[in-house]
Amino acid sequence: MKTKNKLITAILLSTGAAAGTALINKYIKMTATAKNLLEEPRSLCYKWRLGNIHYTKTGSGKPLLFIHDLDYVSNGTEWETLIPYLKDQYTIYTIDLLGFGCSEKPNLTYTNFLYVQLINDFVKSEIGRRTNVIASGSSSSIITMACAYNPDLFEQLMFINPENFSSCAQIPGKYAKIYKLILDAPIIGTLLYHIASSRENIEQQFRQRYFYNPYSVKPLYIDKYYESAHLGQSPKAVYSSVLCQYTKCNISRSLEKINNSIYILGGETEPGIRETIREYTLCNPAVESSVIPSTKHLPQMEKPEEVSSFVKMFFN
């Protein structure tokens, strides 16, 4: 009888804890998205086969596609401070990749090839002609592979702080499936995701990793990334996919055969950027590069005017 009572008590406590955690998760999501900072009156929707893709179209001139980084909090607002310097020369498309920002976030495993298909389909459907591309961080590997598969869709490519080859080539480890299973769990996985995507952690990312000068970080940037990380059906799905290395791909052979012009723009204090540039140049001697002084991972946000001058020089 005592054993039975203990079992019932344990079940009730577990049920209560689960219900309490679920309420906490719901509260975090509601408060994170309450400000509607990412609402864009001129936003457009590309109805892709795996979900609706949010994007914007601004300016006039040759098409220029901006693709944000693959950090789980990333989104198209990464380019907001840069666009005003370029919209008179280019028709600028900014896209929230599937699983990011205001695009749909279905509960699936996100891979490099999934994004390669998305970008190629988007260029064919929404742009309809060869386009120049600027890709940030880890998304540079997506564009490298997309261009290798369909070089006729792209003209010139610019990578801002791309990943080095060893990082690109990582594969899911032997515990990746187990870890992803935990993160995909509806209650505990969501709680773990909310801890990782807390406003405090995002602010720390901006001040320590994204920006060279932490005093240049505006609270609005943090709020927008915080909101982006909590929008949609299953925002944690892309987080678990990125964390478990499913979005990685060995790009060295594809980079070798690309004939499109490639320019790498690095933040002066981005860890290992000069070694990464050297890797890319040895793989493809046609790669050109420059470094923006006093910047880190997101020079397009921290020093947009300087970045715009390199963009105009390269794409013209």
Side-chain angles (χ1 to χ4, degrees), residues 10-294:
I11 292 171
L12 289 173
L13 287 172
S14 299
T15 304
T21 304
L23 286 173
I24 291 171
N25 288 335
K26 187 174 182 179
Y27 174 77
I28 291 171
K29 185 178 180 69
M30 286 176 60
T31 55
T33 59
K35 294 181 180 179
N36 293 320
L37 296 173
L38 298 183
E39 279 195 356
E40 171 61 58
R42 294 173 296 177
S43 65
L44 300 168
C45 178
Y46 167 47
K47 296 184 182 297
W48 195 47
R49 57 186 176 80
L50 293 179
N52 292 338
I53 304 301
H54 168 273
Y55 73 98
T56 63
K57 181 180 177 182
T58 311
S60 59
K62 293 193 298 183
L64 177 58
L65 174 61
F66 287 157
I67 303 176
H68 60 74
D69 201 356
L70 292 186
D71 280 350
Y72 60 96
V73 295
S74 298
N75 59 89
T77 62
E78 180 178 314
W79 308 102
E80 278 185 351
T81 56
L82 180 62
I83 289 173
Y85 294 98
L86 299 171
K87 65 181 182 179
D88 292 335
Q89 291 86 20
Y90 306 97
T91 300
I92 299 170
Y93 296 81
T94 66
I95 184 173
D96 283 350
L97 296 172
L98 192 74
F100 292 88
C102 295
S103 290
E104 279 196 58
K105 300 178 180 180
N107 188 16
L108 49 79
T109 299
Y110 295 81
T111 65
N112 184 279
F113 188 62
L114 179 151
Y115 288 122
V116 168
Q117 292 176 302
L118 168 58
I119 293 302
N120 285 341
D121 290 346
F122 180 82
V123 172
K124 291 175 188 176
S125 173
E126 305 303 298
I127 300 178
R129 55 183 288 199
R130 294 188 68 181
T131 185
N132 297 312
V133 181
I134 303 180
S136 174
S138 302
S139 64
S140 300
S141 66
I142 297 171
I143 296 306
T144 301
M145 299 304 293
C147 187
Y149 279 110
N150 285 289
D152 292 340
L153 293 179
F154 305 97
E155 288 196 359
Q156 297 169 292
L157 313 177
M158 177 178 281
F159 301 153
I160 298 179
N161 288 317
E163 281 188 301
N164 60 46
F165 287 170
S166 61
S167 178
C168 287
Q170 290 178 17
I171 60 173
K174 60 180 180 178
Y175 298 115
K177 288 184 178 180
I178 297 172
Y179 193 42
K180 192 174 187 305
L181 193 65
I182 294 170
L183 288 170
D184 287 343
I187 296 176
I188 187 63
T190 302
L191 181 62
L192 291 172
Y193 173 73
H194 284 161
I195 293 170
S197 61
S198 68
R199 194 183 186 283
E200 292 73 19
N201 282 345
I202 294 172
E203 181 175 1
Q204 187 178 46
Q205 281 272 79
F206 266 98
R207 296 189 185 281
Q208 295 183 3
R209 180 169 173 250
Y210 292 162
F211 274 44
Y212 167 79
N213 180 3
Y215 298 105
S216 298
V217 178
K218 297 179 181 178
L220 183 61
Y221 298 161
I222 301 165
D223 288 340
K224 285 186 174 184
Y225 271 53
Y226 183 49
E227 181 177 308
S228 170
H230 292 85
L231 286 172
Q233 173 194 343
S234 184
K236 65 179 181 177
V238 78
Y239 168 74
S240 62
S241 297
V242 170
L243 201 63
C244 295
Q245 317 291 358
Y246 288 101
T247 56
K248 303 287 187 179
C249 182
N250 190 331
I251 65 168
S252 56
R253 290 189 177 180
S254 295
L255 185 67
E256 282 179 0
K257 69 179 187 179
I258 289 177
N259 291 321
N260 305 63
S261 298
I262 300 173
Y263 199 99
I264 295 177
L265 201 56
E268 182 184 36
T269 60
E270 174 75 358
I273 187 59
R274 287 176 174 79
E275 290 76 12
T276 300
I277 290 172
R278 195 175 300 116
E279 276 186 330
Y280 278 68
T281 306
L282 287 172
C283 184
N284 188 328
V287 172
E288 301 176 83
S289 65
S290 295
V291 170
I292 306 286
S294 302

